[in-house]
Amino acid sequence: MTTRKNRNAVLSQYITVKDLFKNLPHAVIREMMDCTVREYYPSGKVVFADGDTGMDLYIIAQGRLRYEKTDSDGKTSLGEFQRLDIIGELSLFTGEPRSATVVAIRDSELIRVPRELALNILTNHPQALLQVTRIIAERLAKARKRDESVKRHSLSFCLLPTTKHLTFENLIQAIELVANSYGRCIIIRESEFHRLFPSLKETPDPEMEYHIRNWIHDLESNYNILIYIGSYEDSDWSRRAIRQSDRVIFVQDATEEPQVSPVELSLNQKYSLRIKTDLILIQPSIHSLPQNTKKYLDGRTFQRHYHIHISSSETVHRFVRGILGKSVGLALGGGGAKGFAHLGVIRSIEENDLPIDMVSGTSAGSIFAALVSMGYDSIKSRVQAKRFWVDKDLLNEYTIPVLSLVSGRKYTEAIREFFGSIKIEDLWIPYFAVSTDLSHSESHIHDSGELWKAIRASTSLPGIVPPFIEDNIVYVDGGVMDNVPGLVLKERGAGVVISVDVFGDIYPDQDKDLASYFDPKRPGVLDHPIVQLSNLINFTNLLRPKFPPIGDIIIRSILVSSRERIRQTQKSSDLFLQIPTDNFGVLEWLSYEKLIELGYLCSKEKLQAFKAEHFSDKK
């Protein structure tokens, strides 16, 4: 006698095969049902790995799977399989090992079709062969689009408290409200789950799992965003919610001491290879920078952390955009005094009400990016930047040119005094400063630790300012390798990137003034030292001599070397703003007002058009 459990198993196989191969005769479908194997894969389990032997065909009856393939050039391709997708078809035809790793990212049910049966059906029934061939052709076409992102029909998340008595209902409601502006969102609680499946409270029922997977499938078909609310304990519900989620977010009250919950321990042991985890720190005040974030991050592997104040919709929006892959990143390039043009761009961003969810900066850009990340608007940033760069004349302290033209004492002290003890991880907006690790000949991203050190390293113009040395590593200006760090933001998860290049292009007629330093009768030979020094006299302000052109030449030579990286950034950025600062010198600090206005005028219309294209119906 056929049991109810067996009837469900047969029904699952029949529906799956019938829906996929609609034109096959019923006799062939019955043959497939008799010879195929129904297999269950819990979320996180590998179906097969790249290089594995095995040539059977798989059909997805329920759930969702992800594949990962690394090409010979190191490029990794990601994709997802949904219900009724076929996997393993290439190995079926070629007999070669598996060409990708496939892992379940939801509790899934697969129908395994033995190779001999699959080949027999495909050989004798052209309709089935045509269906499989079409699937192969579609996948090959997608593989050629190297920049194609993973296509997802829905995204699922799990919120978990880090402490036993933490309640965050207000946060859940705020997240739900914002998430609904990006698609249909549903909050899934343990009480609702047990109302629908009460028998699971008493005894685990394998048969019931079939209906649970169908329930999850229906939810993911009807909603774009699913948010499971788990518990502090390592319960069956919390484990189930984690298995069905693309990302797990732990919630911590920033006024309490950090704590690792039982469910977090369990997650680290069982799902660390697949599940990405983030941290929300609920902050008590929006009017000051968060503090002591490091103690919540130490010893843990969170991909990102978010500072949220419940009454601040801006912080909630930033979180939702972050988990949905829609973060807006702003990359500010280096260029010395030309960096003041960034303030004009930031003013345009503010007037267009465009969000900024993460910032990166190189050299002068690292300073302006830090001001944004600290919560300064363009007006306050303008006041502070003028006080810092222009009024103090920080580079007017020449020394014996052994390592640099200036000693760096006044410059270093000013940076340390201005930014004080601020830590990068305590900033409201994620911040990345780029320097060049001269000791290892590579770019270095500062994303934690003392903010002043990151800026001092990023702005260490070789030959102008002494390098910054920490832990026996020599850091110099980030512009040596990456002067417009937009790619950094893409690598850190930004969905939209606005990159700003303020360096500009150099034209030959701009260098005519340099001829006054050379002996007109001997090409390539400098004139008498007295003549050279006379060119440095500022007759309008004798107490403020001109910066020697050697500094300008050194900086220009350094930044030219990262032009290829800038071209790559330009291709990958959603908006690349190149401010034409060609008529300004890289050390022309007194022209800051003109540079700010130039940045504003050159970015205003482009940012308006950008907003209309990308944010017409979103905050």
Side-chain angles (χ1 to χ4, degrees):
M1 180 177 179
T2 304
T3 65
R4 182 181 178 187
K5 176 180 176 181
N6 288 335
R7 285 199 301 271
N8 277 335
V10 172
L11 180 63
S12 171
Q13 289 176 282
Y14 178 78
I15 291 175
T16 302
V17 175
K18 180 176 179 296
D19 286 349
L20 184 62
F21 298 112
K22 296 179 180 179
N23 297 320
L24 286 182
H26 289 292
V28 177
I29 292 179
R30 285 196 297 271
E31 179 185 0
M32 291 186 68
M33 289 170 56
D34 292 338
C35 300
T36 55
V37 180
R38 182 187 186 216
E39 296 182 348
Y40 169 69
Y41 287 84
S43 178
K45 185 174 182 180
V46 175
V47 178
F48 52 75
D50 188 2
D52 282 357
T53 57
M55 293 162 280
D56 292 345
L57 195 71
Y58 290 86
I59 304 171
I60 302 178
Q62 293 176 312
R64 190 187 298 184
L65 289 81
R66 180 172 298 158
Y67 71 81
E68 180 174 327
K69 178 179 175 60
T70 302
D71 298 335
S72 57
D73 61 357
K75 173 74 173 181
T76 298
S77 301
L78 296 173
E80 290 188 359
F81 296 119
Q82 310 285 337
R83 181 177 179 273
L84 297 185
D85 276 346
I86 292 176
I87 57 177
E89 71 284 350
L90 289 179
S91 293
L92 173 73
F93 287 116
T94 65
E96 296 179 352
R98 302 296 187 185
S99 59
T101 296
V102 176
V103 60
I105 59 172
R106 300 288 187 274
D107 291 346
S108 302
E109 179 187 328
L110 306 184
I111 298 174
R112 180 166 59 84
V113 185
R115 183 171 190 259
E116 293 75 13
L117 173 63
L119 288 176
N120 180 58
I121 292 174
L122 295 176
T123 300
N124 296 309
H125 298 279
Q127 309 98 310
L129 179 61
L130 181 62
Q131 174 75 345
V132 175
T133 303
R134 181 184 61 80
I135 291 172
I136 295 174
E138 289 176 353
R139 289 188 187 152
L140 289 175
K142 289 180 180 180
R144 294 191 188 100
K145 299 177 182 179
R146 301 182 65 87
D147 294 330
E148 182 179 7
S149 59
V150 179
K151 182 180 179 181
R152 296 185 177 96
H153 297 286
S154 64
L155 287 169
S156 299
F157 308 95
C158 179
L159 295 182
L160 297 165
T162 59
T163 53
K164 190 170 187 177
H165 302 293
L166 176 65
T167 58
F168 50 96
E169 187 61 34
N170 289 342
L171 175 64
I172 295 171
Q173 293 176 7
I175 292 173
E176 181 182 18
L177 180 64
V178 172
N180 270 303
S181 67
Y182 292 91
R184 294 194 67 200
C185 173
I186 184 171
I187 304 295
I188 307 166
R189 304 176 190 273
E190 183 176 9
S191 58
E192 174 66 10
F193 175 78
H194 284 304
R195 186 187 68 79
L196 294 172
F197 306 102
S199 62
L200 284 179
K201 287 184 177 181
E202 310 298 332
T203 306
D205 185 355
E207 180 185 339
M208 189 64 70
E209 295 295 334
Y210 170 79
H211 297 289
I212 293 174
R213 290 194 295 273
N214 271 342
W215 173 67
I216 293 172
H217 172 76
D218 289 342
L219 286 175
E220 294 190 346
S221 298
N222 293 316
Y223 293 92
N224 308 103
I225 305 166
L226 290 74
I227 301 177
Y228 296 89
I229 308 301
S231 64
Y232 166 84
E233 301 293 345
D234 183 21
S235 64
D236 175 73
W237 164 248
S238 291
R239 291 192 297 271
R240 184 183 296 276
I242 289 171
R243 291 201 309 270
Q244 308 315 313
S245 298
D246 299 297
R247 209 169 193 96
V248 173
I249 300 106
F250 288 94
V251 182
Q252 166 81 47
D253 186 333
T255 63
E256 297 182 1
E257 288 300 308
Q259 183 175 335
V260 178
S261 65
V263 70
E264 184 178 353
L265 288 173
S266 174
L267 184 148
N268 291 337
Q269 294 168 1
K270 297 178 181 179
Y271 301 103
S272 58
L273 294 178
R274 182 184 74 82
I275 298 289
K276 295 181 178 179
T277 58
D278 296 333
L279 174 68
I280 288 177
L281 286 168
I282 302 177
Q283 297 296 336
S285 173
I286 192 64
H287 302 295
S288 59
L289 287 176
Q291 295 182 349
N292 302 316
T293 303
K294 184 177 184 296
K295 68 181 182 181
Y296 299 102
L297 304 178
D298 282 349
R300 299 155 102 173
T301 56
F302 298 125
Q303 270 69 43
R304 289 182 64 176
H305 66 275
Y306 299 87
H307 297 293
I308 291 183
H309 189 269
I310 301 299
S311 65
S312 169
S313 63
E314 181 182 357
T315 61
V316 180
H317 273 271
R318 184 175 299 129
F319 164 73
V320 172
R321 284 192 295 268
I323 63 175
L324 295 181
K326 297 179 180 293
S327 291
V328 180
L330 176 65
L332 304 181
K338 298 182 180 189
F340 273 98
H342 288 312
L343 293 181
V345 175
I346 293 169
R347 176 187 166 192
S348 295
I349 290 173
E350 292 170 351
E351 290 184 356
N352 283 285
D353 196 28
L354 287 169
I356 300 176
D357 299 317
M358 56 175 68
V359 290
S360 63
T362 293
S363 197
S366 71
I367 294 179
F368 294 105
L371 296 175
V372 171
S373 197
M374 291 166 63
Y376 287 14
D377 61 15
S378 59
I379 297 175
K380 189 174 181 180
S381 294
R382 176 177 183 151
V383 173
Q384 296 296 336
K386 176 182 179 293
R387 183 181 303 165
F388 182 83
W389 279 106
V390 182
D391 296 345
K392 292 186 178 181
D393 198 13
L394 297 177
L395 298 184
N396 184 19
E397 87 179 324
Y398 306 130
T399 186
I400 300 174
V402 176
L403 291 177
S404 58
L405 288 177
V406 301
S407 68
R409 179 189 57 82
K410 185 164 65 170
Y411 180 64
T412 301
E413 289 177 355
I415 292 178
R416 188 167 191 170
E417 178 185 351
F418 183 86
F419 293 103
S421 59
I422 295 174
K423 303 293 191 299
I424 293 176
E425 51 267 43
D426 289 333
L427 296 169
W428 284 107
I429 299 176
Y431 170 84
F432 311 99
V434 179
S435 69
T436 300
D437 178 348
L438 203 60
S439 300
H440 300 93
S441 301
E442 62 186 16
S443 184
H444 182 83
I445 312 301
H446 301 263
D447 58 5
S448 62
E450 295 179 85
L451 179 59
W452 80 267
K453 290 184 178 180
I455 292 173
R456 176 62 179 81
S458 182
T459 57
S460 301
L461 291 163
I464 307 296
V465 179
F468 185 74
I469 301 177
E470 186 174 37
D471 297 329
N472 294 320
I473 297 177
V474 178
Y475 297 103
V476 296
D477 194 281
V480 172
M481 301 191 73
D482 189 2
N483 198 46
V484 185
L487 294 175
V488 171
L489 297 177
K490 284 287 187 182
E491 293 163 359
R492 299 302 176 111
V496 175
V497 171
I498 302 171
S499 297
V500 186
D501 180 5
V502 296
F503 182 56
D505 293 317
I506 302 299
Y507 298 100
D509 59 355
Q510 293 177 253
D511 292 334
K512 290 180 179 179
D513 289 343
L514 291 178
S516 61
Y517 289 88
F518 287 84
D519 185 337
K521 299 179 181 179
R522 294 183 294 173
V525 179
L526 291 173
D527 210 332
H528 192 278
I530 295 179
V531 176
Q532 297 179 50
L533 289 174
S534 66
N535 289 327
L536 299 179
I537 298 175
N538 186 346
F539 290 100
T540 60
N541 188 346
L542 296 177
L543 296 179
R544 190 187 293 270
K546 297 178 183 178
F547 201 92
I550 183 176
D552 193 81
I553 292 173
I554 291 174
I555 294 173
R556 284 167 49 186
S557 300
I558 291 167
L559 299 184
V560 164
S561 66
S562 67
R563 274 298 168 187
E564 178 56 36
R565 178 80 171 178
I566 294 174
R567 280 190 282 270
Q568 294 174 16
T569 297
Q570 185 171 7
K571 291 179 181 178
S572 66
S573 297
D574 298 273
L575 177 62
F576 188 86
L577 296 171
Q578 191 168 40
I579 310 301
T581 59
D582 311 299
N583 293 325
F584 298 89
V586 292
L587 300 171
E588 200 172 326
W589 308 107
L590 295 178
S591 298
Y592 72 95
E593 290 185 343
K594 294 179 181 178
L595 284 160
I596 293 173
E597 187 65 16
L598 179 66
Y600 173 71
L601 294 175
C602 292
S603 62
K604 182 171 62 173
E605 292 185 1
K606 293 179 180 178
L607 282 165
Q608 288 175 347
F610 177 78
K611 179 184 179 180
E613 179 181 356
H614 293 272
F615 299 93
S616 57
D617 58 347
K618 292 287 183 293
K619 180 174 178 179

